[in-house]
Amino acid sequence: MSFSFFKASRPKTPSELAKTVKDSFNALDSITVAEVKALEKAMEEVEKNIVAMKVMLAGDGEVEPNPDQVAQLTLEVCNEDVIALFIHKLLILGWEARKNLAHCWSIMLKQKVDSTYCCVQYMENHLELLDFLVVCYDNKEIATHCGGMLRECIKLPSLAKYILESPSFGLFFKFVELPNFDVASDAFSTFKDLLTKHESAVSQYLTNNYSEFFEQYEKLLTSPNYVTRRQSLKLLSEFLLEPPNSLIMKRYIAEVSHLKVMMNLLKDSSKNIQISAFHIFKVFVANPNKPREIKLILAKNHEGLLALLNNLGKGGEDDQFEEEKELIMKEIEKVSRLANLES
């Protein structure tokens, strides 16, 4: 006869787990730093509960997650206001706990309960949490974890639109040039997603904020940092040449200040930047409705431009590039011969 002196603990239900997670997070507030051992124990409890939540949402490698439990946990996390705790407490968690929490967030945000994406709805009702995640780029300890959570949010049109229209969006022009390379790169990934994931929202934003946006963006294109120049130039091509942004592009290529920036980038010491700049510069030149001011700049600088273009990409580009370059050079020569420009 065998005897069992220890009864296996019953697994928590989704509702119980959500409440336990909430209580363990809140316990961190009630324990002072002076009580080091108590604080360590409370932190261990938080981390254990995050792992339990991850297992319920994603499985443990052997057992697949139960879809009903995943849905129920997601709903309870929203109902218990645990999402706000997730975000506000990231800084005091350890690296592994942050990683696990970000993983849980990516699963829950996509989870549809009945007919509602309840985590999306929660964020729509607590939009200040999005601003908080953006500002976290100022703290290198949690910047990349917050960045990952933010990019998950940006996949949703309503949340991306809010960030674009929020004053916090302007902070990205600072964050992409932070001295910490990992943080700056992560910030640029988020910045790129904001400007490329949802075309109609981006088009509306650029229409409403054209002058302010491109004034800031020009600083990135002329940054002393090579990575910033190259990334921002490549990104400019991606969102400016999208069909929904055709009116923005027409406005952009009609302005002399933007043409001058591209002409300077054609002289950059980096071949990659020269090539990328050409693909935007050619749109200025090929425009059949070039303003007179644009024609004047091209005509006055035609000799230098032709010399630059003649040497551009020699020996390394494909036939299509060479054909485009030849057409652009012919157009510059044509503009330079116009007799009425000086009148």
Side-chain angles (χ1 to χ4, degrees):
M1 184 182 292
S2 63
F3 297 92
S4 176
F5 294 99
F6 300 99
K7 186 178 179 181
S9 60
R10 176 181 61 83
K12 287 184 173 66
T13 66
S15 178
E16 290 169 340
L17 181 55
K19 286 182 172 64
T20 302
V21 170
K22 180 180 181 178
D23 290 344
S24 63
F25 269 107
N26 284 330
L28 296 174
D29 291 331
S30 61
I31 298 170
T32 65
V33 177
E35 299 169 275
V36 178
K37 287 189 176 179
L39 183 62
E40 286 177 357
K41 184 171 177 54
M43 190 64 73
E44 285 175 8
E45 189 67 19
V46 167
E47 292 174 353
K48 181 183 77 174
N49 289 329
I50 291 173
V51 170
M53 191 167 58
K54 179 185 171 185
V55 169
M56 186 174 286
L57 291 168
D60 62 2
E62 295 181 3
V63 180
E64 289 294 310
N66 181 311
D68 291 337
Q69 286 191 330
V70 172
Q72 188 63 32
L73 178 60
T74 301
L75 182 62
E76 294 295 338
V77 160
C78 294
N79 290 342
E80 291 288 335
D81 266 341
V82 181
I83 292 175
L85 289 171
F86 286 170
I87 293 171
H88 286 301
K89 301 294 186 186
L90 268 174
L91 181 58
I92 60 175
L93 299 178
W95 190 90
E96 190 69 22
R98 291 176 199 151
K99 186 183 78 169
N100 288 335
L101 200 54
H103 186 194
C104 291
W105 177 241
S106 70
I107 295 170
M108 290 189 293
L109 198 62
K110 302 182 188 84
Q111 189 63 37
K112 194 173 186 178
V113 182
D114 295 328
S115 60
T116 305
Y117 290 96
C118 53
C119 286
V120 177
Q121 190 176 69
Y122 183 92
M123 294 301 286
E124 288 173 343
N125 292 329
H126 299 81
L127 291 167
E128 72 282 356
L129 294 175
L130 292 171
D131 292 313
F132 183 87
L133 286 171
V134 172
V135 173
C136 283
Y137 273 117
D138 250 337
N139 189 322
K140 65 182 181 181
E141 294 299 319
I142 56 173
T144 56
H145 293 103
C146 288
M149 294 174 74
L150 198 53
R151 283 190 295 280
E152 290 295 329
C153 293
I154 289 167
K155 292 176 182 177
L156 288 307
S158 61
L159 303 185
K161 185 175 186 292
Y162 170 78
I163 300 172
L164 281 170
E165 295 173 353
S166 168
S168 64
F169 176 67
L171 294 172
F172 279 99
F173 292 101
K174 164 195 166 186
F175 294 149
V176 299
E177 292 212 87
L178 287 171
N180 184 297
F181 179 78
D182 290 337
V183 174
S185 297
D186 195 278
F188 198 92
S189 293
T190 306
F191 186 54
K192 178 180 177 180
D193 281 0
L194 281 165
L195 290 170
T196 57
K197 289 289 183 187
H198 306 286
E199 294 173 349
S200 60
V202 172
S203 180
Q204 188 63 54
Y205 165 76
L206 293 175
T207 299
N208 295 339
N209 301 275
Y210 178 90
S211 298
E212 299 90 336
F213 175 81
F214 282 108
E215 181 182 344
Q216 292 298 315
Y217 206 90
E218 186 172 307
K219 294 175 184 176
L220 300 182
L221 293 170
T222 56
S223 168
N225 185 302
Y226 163 75
V227 175
T228 300
R229 290 199 311 280
R230 183 175 180 187
Q231 286 185 325
S232 57
L233 189 55
K234 188 169 182 290
L235 177 57
L236 180 64
S237 293
E238 288 186 37
F239 71 81
L240 194 61
L241 303 181
E242 285 293 327
N245 294 330
S246 59
L247 292 177
I248 302 296
M249 184 195 71
K250 287 176 183 176
R251 185 173 175 182
Y252 186 87
I253 63 173
E255 296 187 22
V256 168
S257 61
H258 301 320
L259 173 61
K260 287 180 176 178
V261 170
M262 291 307 137
M263 287 167 58
N264 283 328
L265 289 171
L266 284 173
K267 297 185 289 185
D268 197 275
S269 58
S270 162
K271 177 185 171 183
N272 288 323
I273 288 179
Q274 292 174 6
I275 298 297
S276 295
F278 170 77
H279 288 300
I280 298 177
F281 171 77
K282 71 185 180 186
V283 185
F284 285 88
V285 180
N287 179 13
N289 301 308
K290 288 186 283 293
R292 184 173 180 275
E293 294 78 9
I294 296 289
K295 292 178 181 176
L296 270 172
I297 294 292
L298 294 175
K300 286 182 178 179
N301 295 277
H302 77 277
E303 290 183 356
L305 286 169
L306 292 174
L308 273 173
L309 294 174
N310 188 53
N311 291 318
L312 184 64
K314 278 200 168 178
E317 300 305 314
D318 57 25
D319 292 342
Q320 183 181 344
F321 175 83
E322 292 299 328
E323 288 173 12
E324 289 180 350
K325 191 174 78 168
E326 188 177 341
L327 288 171
I328 294 304
M329 291 175 71
K330 285 180 179 177
E331 180 63 20
I332 292 172
E333 289 175 338
K334 177 182 170 184
V335 170
S336 71
R337 293 194 296 268
L338 293 176
N340 63 345
L341 283 179
E342 298 298 336
S343 59

